[in-house]
Amino acid sequence: MGRLAGVVERLQRELQHAHLQAEGRALIDLAKGILVERLGCGPAEAGRQLDKLADQAGLQVLELAVELVNQASRDKIADIARDFVTATTEPASPSTALRLRSVEAGALAGDDADAVAQCILENALRPLGAKAVAIWAAHPDQSLTLAGSAGFTEHEPGRWRHVPPGVPTPARHALDHRDTTAFDTLADAALPSIGQLELPGGRLVVPAGTGGRITGAMEICWTEPLPEQTQPLQRQFEVLATLCATILETRPTPDDKPMGQDDPRLTELLDLVDGLDEACMVLQPLLDDAGTPVGFRIRHVNTGFVDFAGRPRNLIVGSRLLEAYPLAAEPGGLFEKVEHVLATGEPFRADRMHLTALVDGVPLATEAKVTISRSGDHVVVTWRLQDGTPKVASLLQHAQRLGRIGGFEENLLTGEIIWSDTLYDLHGLPPTAPPVALEQLAAHAHPDDSHSIGRFLRTLLHRQHPASTAFRLQRPDGIARHIRVVAEPVLDDTARITAVRGAYQDVSAQHWTEVALAATRDQLAHTEQQAAERSRLALQLQHAIMPPSRGTQHLHNLSVAVRYRPAEKDHLVGGDWYDAVALPHGQILLCVGDVAGHGIEAATGMVALRNALRGLAATGAGPAQLLAWLNSVTHHLTDNVTATAVCGLYQPDTRRLHWARAGHLPPVLLRDGQANTLPTIGGLLLGALDHADYQEDEVQLQPGDTLMMYTDGLIERRDRSVADSLDNLLTIAQTPLAPEEPHELERRLDLLLRHTNADTDDDTCLIGVRVR
């Protein structure tokens, strides 16, 4: 028993971790969509860009995704996140946006209100000290229904499933006043509520509604007295209540009077059914005016219920038996046995009973051990299926949908034709239309394909061999599709053909892909020649603006040296750039950047950004403002260009450097033989959004300091993380050199280029600044 309990606990942790991962994946997918729209690239490239930007920014991918979603959405969650970051300097405050976005993703993906309540509790409320949460649905008769809950003991939600009108509770009080209601402790409130014994502490109830209409309330419970309610916290609770309102409108709530509430015997039956291991459902007879049963409704299924057609339980509960299993009406089938048990009270048992369901219009048969018994006015059906049947049904549905395949079976003796639902879509016919017989297939195909269809039918029907062919289907809506049909004959004991079964597959996409490939081959030689010419022009432009090396430049009390290492492959000409120039107001502009991509577009984008930053720097604005302006230039005045950059303004008389970054790796400062990166500050890459804010930092430089600014081509390796590569860079930068040696700065840059050993075939730009 102890080992079993340990297994259950481990599986619960794994399930919770899987839910959190699913919520995180939803946020990452949203961020990828933003990059796809802005960069005009595919999802795979957007994912690689997101990973690269997260490494450069020193953030987790999920944190960067939330930052992108916040800046793009400008909704209440984004506003709350900005308020927290502005109002506090605690390290945990920026994670507010991550928690709320995770709640939003989990709430929208939750199967029911209980799952949503659990998501809200784990992601948003537990970090605030709360222990439980309840979601109440309000009804016009002033009653309440517990739609979802989390954090309470096992049986507590069942006792509060329905609150009749007139019962004063904290939730009812908040709904009557249409405002947030807070109680320091539940005992002080003198109001009964869920969890009042194990959670006697503070209570906060927030009305939940959208569009001015209140549909329920969210009740948050603490074991301790209610914590101080600051305005940012109140705004968080309001956003969570809005999510609850969305769930109340999109997820079905339990009936006001749950099944069995007024019938103790039925309550006992449901408890018994829920404890069974076999799949079990409770059927309620549907009576006509004369009291005669005319059907059965599936009112309840237990947690062990498995539908052999692969459908989830929520699609079964509430439907009629013959709606869920129409083939149960066959003579001697399940429906007839249920009717007999209800009428006579005699239980029915069968070790091997034939059960059939329709999966996408195709009958799926299985055998099961079935037991049927009557309990009061209800009928209980249990079955134990053969292993693997539900999985086969689910795989069949997905395989037909993904492969655009439809199955058929044609009885040659009776003329009956069975089509799957997919076939009607492939042929452009409504589900009520008669299926097309094989003999009529040529009439629905392109005239040029009639001969191939004739050979297919002769092989299949006369030679009685499996056959296949491809043809152009002429649909009634005028759309032509390329179809492949595969079929085999079905023979009886006398080797006479009685039926044909097979499948149609839409291969239009494959056909047009082959056409496109043929055209691409014809243009390949010409395209390669154009690409070579573009690469040559890009390389010339790059070298004209920034030669691979130049001598040391002296600007006031700074010595500046530059090294530029082009990519080893000419066709990978990149967009790395640098600048070091004295400005009219006495400051010195130091910057380095990297335009995403390669080729002529990256080279021209590099020139545009470098020249734009020079012009903007003449205004005297600080580096953070310069990057904000440069971001707008990148977003509006370039063609889908994104870039990273570090911008610094050096004041010679005070030796103070003000700097900011836009998704770029921070500079390295070498002082007294020790190399360290400057503190990482926030800043999104250039061009991703039309507006972005950047942080600014300052550092007091000293005589003898060496500052190094570089692009990621200096350190990137495929076999290690950016953090490991950066540690290696710091180690190499600390290598001692002879003091006051001529060309010491240039020798240090050459040393870095020689020993960093990047392997990504990317350009490398490196600036060394020595303070005199």
Side-chain angles (χ1 to χ4, degrees):
M1 290 298 294
R3 289 195 296 271
L4 178 61
V7 171
V8 171
E9 183 179 0
R10 176 178 59 82
L11 292 177
Q12 288 176 337
R13 290 196 303 267
E14 292 178 356
L15 180 61
Q16 182 180 0
H17 180 66
H19 287 163
L20 294 176
Q21 285 185 322
E23 296 155 11
R25 284 195 297 269
L27 293 173
I28 291 174
D29 288 341
L30 285 175
K32 288 181 182 178
I34 294 172
L35 292 179
V36 166
E37 188 276 333
R38 178 64 190 100
L39 304 181
C41 62
E45 178 62 23
R48 288 191 291 269
Q49 289 291 336
L50 192 63
D51 292 338
K52 180 178 180 180
L53 295 172
D55 279 342
Q56 292 177 351
L59 298 174
Q60 295 182 358
V61 174
L62 187 56
E63 292 175 334
L64 182 61
V66 170
E67 184 177 348
L68 281 170
V69 171
N70 282 341
Q71 296 210 30
S73 60
R74 304 287 179 176
D75 59 3
K76 290 183 178 180
I77 294 179
D79 293 340
I80 290 175
R82 284 193 294 271
D83 290 348
F84 262 85
V85 175
T86 302
T88 180
T89 58
E90 296 179 4
S93 56
S95 65
T96 301
L98 176 57
R99 295 203 307 267
L100 293 180
R101 289 293 179 197
S102 298
V103 171
E104 183 182 36
L108 296 178
D111 295 331
D112 52 35
D114 283 334
V116 172
Q118 185 68 37
C119 177
I120 291 175
L121 179 62
E122 295 299 332
N123 288 290
L125 298 181
R126 284 202 192 278
L128 302 178
K131 300 300 182 183
V133 63
I135 302 174
W136 300 97
H139 302 292
D141 62 353
Q142 302 297 305
S143 65
L144 298 175
T145 299
L146 185 62
S149 62
F152 300 102
T153 56
E154 179 180 0
H155 301 290
E156 186 69 8
R159 290 194 285 265
W160 288 88
R161 185 61 62 188
H162 178 76
V163 179
V167 176
T169 64
R172 184 74 264 163
H173 186 276
L175 291 172
D176 290 342
H177 291 81
R178 301 178 65 87
D179 196 8
T180 300
T181 301
F183 300 100
D184 190 50
T185 63
L186 189 59
D188 295 340
L191 295 174
S193 189
I194 182 173
Q196 55 191 4
L197 296 180
E198 68 270 17
L199 297 170
R203 290 292 170 107
L204 184 74
V205 185
V206 185
T210 57
R213 184 172 64 91
I214 294 179
T215 56
M218 177 185 68
E219 183 172 355
I220 308 172
C221 312
W222 283 266
T223 54
E224 304 297 330
L226 187 71
E228 180 183 359
Q229 299 301 296
T230 62
Q231 185 175 2
L233 278 178
Q234 293 173 2
R235 295 186 64 192
Q236 278 196 64
F237 296 142
E238 291 171 1
V239 169
L240 295 176
T242 302
L243 291 176
C244 291
T246 303
I247 299 308
L248 291 174
E249 291 181 352
T250 57
R251 305 292 194 279
T253 57
D255 297 334
D256 287 354
K257 293 184 178 181
M259 183 181 178
Q261 178 174 305
D262 298 330
D263 188 347
R265 292 184 303 172
L266 184 56
T267 302
E268 294 178 1
L269 173 64
L270 298 183
D271 291 339
L272 176 63
V273 164
D274 288 337
L276 297 178
D277 293 332
E278 288 88 356
C280 185
M281 58 183 177
V282 178
L283 305 179
Q284 179 186 20
L286 301 175
L287 308 178
D288 59 12
D289 295 338
T292 304
V294 294
F296 297 90
R297 186 178 301 279
I298 303 175
R299 289 301 307 272
H300 182 76
V301 297
N302 66 348
T303 55
F305 180 82
V306 177
D307 173 52
F308 57 90
R311 294 166 294 187
R313 293 195 298 270
N314 62 327
L315 295 183
I316 302 298
V317 177
S319 63
R320 295 193 176 199
L321 178 62
L322 292 183
E323 292 175 353
Y325 304 101
L327 297 182
E330 60 186 357
L334 182 64
F335 188 85
E336 184 178 302
K337 303 301 182 185
V338 171
E339 280 188 320
H340 181 77
V341 170
L342 177 66
T344 64
E346 300 176 0
F348 170 81
R349 293 181 179 85
D351 291 334
R352 299 178 68 87
M353 183 175 182
H354 186 74
L355 300 176
T356 309
L358 291 176
V359 180
D360 196 17
V362 179
L364 178 70
T366 187
E367 289 186 343
K369 179 179 180 180
V370 178
T371 302
I372 307 174
S373 59
R374 188 179 73 184
S375 178
D377 296 333
H378 293 77
V379 178
V380 179
V381 180
T382 63
W383 60 45
R384 178 174 293 178
L385 302 172
Q386 293 179 344
D387 293 339
T389 304
K391 293 182 179 180
V392 171
S394 179
L395 289 174
L396 176 61
Q397 288 177 319
H398 292 303
Q400 293 189 77
R401 175 179 57 84
L402 295 174
R404 294 188 60 79
I405 301 173
F408 71 91
E409 183 171 302
E410 182 173 340
N411 191 315
L412 300 180
L413 302 179
T414 64
E416 180 185 9
I417 303 175
I418 298 176
W419 270 15
S420 68
D421 294 342
T422 310
L423 274 191
Y424 291 96
D425 293 334
L426 293 183
H427 284 74
L429 297 174
T432 56
V436 177
L438 288 175
E439 292 286 357
Q440 303 171 355
L441 191 58
H444 295 267
H446 192 279
D448 294 345
D449 296 332
S450 57
H451 295 294
S452 60
I453 292 177
R455 288 194 300 269
F456 164 74
L457 293 177
R458 286 192 296 272
T459 302
L460 182 66
L461 301 177
H462 298 290
R463 299 177 186 173
Q464 298 183 4
H465 292 160
S468 65
T469 190
F471 64 95
R472 287 163 288 181
L473 177 67
Q474 302 284 4
R475 303 192 341 169
D477 55 10
I479 298 175
R481 307 295 296 176
H482 291 261
I483 302 294
R484 182 173 183 82
V485 58
V486 181
E488 66 177 4
V490 179
L491 308 177
D492 62 10
D493 295 337
T494 63
R496 183 183 63 165
I497 183 171
T498 60
V500 174
R501 61 191 173 202
Y504 292 89
Q505 182 179 16
D506 187 346
V507 294
S508 301
Q510 177 182 350
H511 170 78
W512 291 115
T513 299
E514 292 173 353
V515 173
L517 286 175
T520 301
R521 293 188 192 100
D522 295 337
Q523 299 177 359
L524 185 57
H526 180 63
T527 301
E528 289 179 347
Q529 182 179 0
Q530 286 184 327
E533 181 65 18
R534 288 167 60 87
S535 296
R536 185 182 64 81
L537 293 175
L539 189 61
Q540 288 179 348
L541 175 62
Q542 186 183 64
H543 286 177
I545 299 299
M546 291 177 302
S549 64
R550 59 190 300 179
T552 301
Q553 183 181 6
H554 299 287
L555 299 172
H556 295 285
N557 54 4
L558 292 183
S559 297
V560 180
V562 175
R563 288 294 183 271
Y564 191 89
R565 181 174 61 192
E568 294 183 2
K569 299 179 181 179
D570 291 342
H571 69 278
L572 291 179
V573 174
D576 290 18
W577 54 278
Y578 61 86
D579 206 356
V581 61
L583 300 175
H585 45 72
Q587 292 182 319
I588 298 175
L589 173 66
L590 301 170
C591 59
V592 67
D594 185 1
V595 175
H598 298 87
I600 191 68
E601 292 83 2
T604 54
M606 170 267 293
V607 175
L609 296 188
R610 183 173 182 265
N611 292 339
L613 185 57
R614 272 199 175 189
L616 294 171
T619 63
Q625 181 62 64
L626 291 178
L627 288 183
W629 287 339
L630 192 62
N631 174 73
S632 298
V633 171
T634 308
H635 185 85
H636 294 288
L637 301 183
T638 59
D639 186 14
N640 293 331
V641 168
T642 59
T644 64
V646 169
C647 175
L649 289 176
Y650 176 75
Q651 188 67 38
D653 54 351
T654 62
R655 292 190 175 90
R656 187 173 295 274
L657 175 72
H658 292 262
W659 70 285
R661 59 185 288 270
H664 203 87
L665 294 169
V668 171
L669 177 62
L670 178 63
R671 174 178 293 173
D672 298 331
Q674 295 294 320
N676 294 284
T677 59
L678 296 186
T680 301
I681 55 178
L684 196 64
L685 81 163
L686 302 172
L689 300 173
D690 60 347
H691 174 76
D693 297 324
Y694 296 89
Q695 296 181 5
E696 183 175 312
D697 198 8
E698 64 177 66
V699 57
Q700 179 64 55
L701 299 180
Q702 301 173 6
D705 286 350
T706 300
L707 185 72
M708 287 164 284
M709 305 164 69
Y710 51 93
T711 58
D712 52 13
L714 181 68
I715 64 171
E716 276 190 341
R717 288 190 61 86
R718 298 183 180 92
D719 59 350
R720 67 177 64 173
S721 66
V722 173
D724 292 339
S725 298
L726 195 56
D727 290 340
N728 181 58
L729 174 66
L730 296 179
T731 301
I732 298 172
Q734 294 173 166
T735 303
L737 296 177
E740 303 301 331
E741 182 178 330
H743 311 296
E744 175 193 352
L745 181 58
E746 295 189 36
R747 289 187 62 245
R748 187 170 298 280
L749 299 187
D750 292 335
L751 179 69
L752 289 176
L753 285 178
R754 186 165 54 252
H755 292 284
T756 47
N757 294 326
D759 64 353
T760 57
D761 292 328
D762 199 2
D763 288 7
T764 298
C765 181
L766 175 61
I767 291 183
V769 179
R770 177 81 171 183
V771 182
R772 301 197 303 271

